[in-house]
Amino acid sequence: MSAAGTRVRLAVAAGAALTVGLALSGCQQGNDATSSAAPADHAAANGAVGGNDAAAAQLVSPATISSNVGGRGSKVPVDTAVSFDVSDGTFKQVRVAARDTQKPLRGSFNKAMTRWTADKLLEPGTAYVVQSAVANADGTTATTHRSFQTENLSLDQQTYASVQPLQNEVVGVGMPVIVQFDIPVTDKAAFERHMSVTATPATVGSWHWISDQEVHWRPKAYWQSGTKVHVDVNVNGVDAGNGIYGQLSRRVDFTVGRSVVMKANIATDMMRVFLNGSLARTIPITGGKSGYDTRSGTKLIIEKFASKQMDSATVGIQPGSPEYYNIPAVLYAQRVTFSGEFLHAAPWSTYAQGSYNVSHGCVGMSTGNAAWLYGLTHRGDPVEVTGTHRGLEDNNGWTDWNESFGQYKQSSALN
């Protein structure tokens, strides 16, 4: 959809007949070098149409071309692919383009070359110009010209998708694909049919709707290191329900980095770090003390800060409380929950690390260990926390790995 903010659907009664007079140009194509016969694989031909030989021009029997975009004056909705059919010959060319930008709407022919169907949906509030060339039974070529206009949509009638990971990002082995919409999607099945995740090597996974505005995709097991992933959120013009349509399609490519899996046992105050499947280091840690217990469950690194101010007021511990703290520069902080749990350097608690828990829920370690870990990890690396009776709440962070794959895929709209 256009960033200017208008959007439409695309479906007029299929088969609406368009009867036009055709200009005969004989067997030649005039001066247009792009109007040669369609390729053998019948891929879309999007060049301009020929037929400018005025000397040979004369009227022939009117041909009927049917289309689902209606006649002149119709406002075409954006959620159906444009198609054109010819019954008195075969198509040689079809070109559909936005009048203002001349950007073509690509499409393809059927095997018989009697139908052309657009590959994409339309932009809202846009005038389109259609040119076609038809080969008649007697070998002559006739051309037609027409136009149509799409309906307008306001920004409030369009939902925009944002995607994580970012383009070309290197991520951890637990990283889900996250798609968020700024306006709710009620027809989730329609959107899910237009979203795909493909990976090399091939990887089994599933979509999982968190809410009307957020959907995730995760593999059945942690990603294989080095996997190349392509995400296609092809929802431009797709009906989201309740009069809302997709605004833009999004495509993202990312790579899975080395495998880093952290296993933090709060009962023993030790965290083992596995690099590419082998134990790389065992780190003494301290977790949350009684009343501020660290949550058990599989967490993912959400964001990383070389230095971060930590004010307990942001997690409900206000100034005046004996538990209040405000540390201006906590080093090597890696967020793992939305509620405020981090892995970070805690030089003030080295006396307790490896022995007992003194934090307010974060996992603290020495500055040296925190720096080493910070340099190793990516967003999406898993932290498997055990040893407490406090569980990790759903969606308090990226909690995609806290249920079996069988349970996870139950939240697919297409399951």
Side-chain angles (χ1 to χ4, degrees), residues 10-23:
L10 176 68
V12 166
L18 171 66
T19 301
V20 294
L22 302 180

Side-chain angles (χ1 to χ4, degrees), residues 7 9 78-79 153 157-159 237-240 243-247:
R7 167 92 53 198
R9 313 166 83 181
V78 295
D79 61 339
L153 291 176
Q157 294 174 289
Q158 303 173 77
T159 185
V238 176
D239 190 343
I244 306 299
Y245 297 86
Q247 185 175 2

Side-chain angles (χ1 to χ4, degrees), residues 23-38 45 47-54 56 90-94 132-136 139-144:
L24 178 64
S25 64
C27 296
Q28 63 186 19
Q29 297 295 316
N31 296 322
D32 190 342
T34 66
S35 55
S36 58
V49 176
N52 296 319
D53 187 350
T90 57
F91 282 121
K92 300 187 72 175
Q93 295 276 333
V94 172
S132 60
V134 175
N136 296 307
T140 59
T141 298
T143 63
T144 67

Side-chain angles (χ1 to χ4, degrees), residues 172-407:
V173 295
M175 184 73 194
V177 174
I178 301 169
V179 183
Q180 295 172 305
F181 302 98
D182 62 346
I183 295 177
V185 173
T186 54
D187 194 343
K188 298 180 180 66
F191 263 45
E192 196 171 322
R193 289 188 189 99
H194 288 83
M195 301 188 301
S196 63
V197 176
T198 54
T200 305
T203 304
V204 174
S206 174
W207 290 105
H208 174 97
W209 286 87
I210 304 296
S211 69
D212 288 350
Q213 292 183 249
E214 185 169 348
V215 60
H216 293 195
W217 190 100
R218 58 154 265 207
K220 185 175 181 180
Y222 290 155
W223 294 104
Q224 179 178 321
S225 179
T227 299
K228 304 290 185 182
V229 185
H230 176 73
V231 182
D232 190 355
V233 183
N234 187 24
V235 297
N236 185 45
V238 176
D239 190 343
N242 290 338
I244 306 299
Y245 297 86
Q247 185 175 2
L248 285 173
S249 293
R250 304 291 309 280
R251 293 172 181 82
V252 170
D253 295 282
F254 66 90
T255 302
V256 180
R258 60 197 167 209
S259 174
V260 179
V261 178
M262 293 148 278
K263 297 179 182 288
N265 188 328
I266 307 304
T268 63
D269 292 304
M270 290 290 179
M271 181 167 69
R272 294 176 298 157
V273 180
F274 292 84
L275 177 60
N276 295 324
S278 298
L279 181 63
R281 185 176 292 195
T282 299
I283 298 175
I285 59 173
T286 185
K289 61 187 176 182
S290 179
Y292 299 93
D293 301 85
T294 302
R295 296 164 174 84
S296 288
T298 300
K299 307 167 188 178
L300 299 175
I301 293 175
I302 301 168
E303 53 185 347
K304 301 175 59 170
F305 304 90
S307 177
K308 182 174 177 59
Q309 181 179 3
M310 290 192 177
D311 184 343
S312 68
T314 63
V315 294
I317 305 173
Q318 302 299 329
S321 168
E323 299 293 341
Y324 177 74
Y325 59 87
N326 188 349
I327 307 172
V330 176
L331 299 180
Y332 309 117
Q334 304 190 69
R335 179 186 291 276
V336 292
T337 72
F338 296 146
S339 61
E341 288 186 16
F342 288 79
L343 312 178
H344 63 75
W348 54 85
S349 66
T350 52
Y351 68 93
Q353 292 163 18
S355 300
Y356 54 98
N357 299 312
V358 298
S359 83
H360 291 84
C362 292
V363 172
M365 63 199 80
S366 71
T367 301
N369 281 327
W372 174 81
L373 190 65
Y374 186 90
L376 196 64
T377 59
H378 295 103
R379 290 202 312 156
D381 278 328
V383 185
E384 300 173 359
V385 180
T386 58
T388 75
H389 297 292
R390 185 183 187 186
L392 177 63
E393 306 88 349
D394 286 344
N395 305 318
N396 184 8
W398 298 335
T399 58
D400 300 75
W401 297 96
N402 284 279
E403 55 187 5
S404 70
F405 184 66
Q407 293 171 319

